[in-house]
Amino acid sequence: MRNTMIAGLIWSALVAGPALAQSGGHGGHAGHTMGDMAAEAKAKAVIHSVDADKGMVNVTHEPVPELKWPQMTMDLPVTKRVDLSKVKAGDKVTITLKQGVDKQFRVTEIAPAQ
């Protein structure tokens, strides 16, 4: 009986594992799969703070329908190609968000809002 229970647990892990691995998102957006979310999106935002040492910005962004994100204020990592010396608190910008292979969204571009 013990072997049957162990076999059942292993089978459950094998079946559920791939489905759980597909769920992802950022912050409170867990549960979305790549099939129902874009891997890249743009959003208008206001920068509240810039931490160049950590490669992070704190922004309030408008809703991002492609990612199923509501308007929110959050810390976001930026890629190395983003020049944080060109932005400051209070700037109104358009950010490009891209999901990496680790399922983490990062800012890949910051441009003045138009």
Side-chain angles (χ1 to χ4, degrees), residues 57-78:
V57 291
N58 179 275
V59 301
T60 296
H61 62 72
E62 292 183 353
V64 186
E66 301 89 348
L67 303 179
K68 299 183 180 180
W69 289 4
Q71 176 180 329
M72 64 181 145
T73 300
M74 61 192 308
D75 290 320
L76 287 167
V78 301

Side-chain angles (χ1 to χ4, degrees), residues 2-18:
R2 182 174 176 196
N3 288 341
T4 303
M5 290 174 63
I6 292 171
L9 289 172
I10 292 171
W11 175 253
S12 295
L14 289 173
V15 171

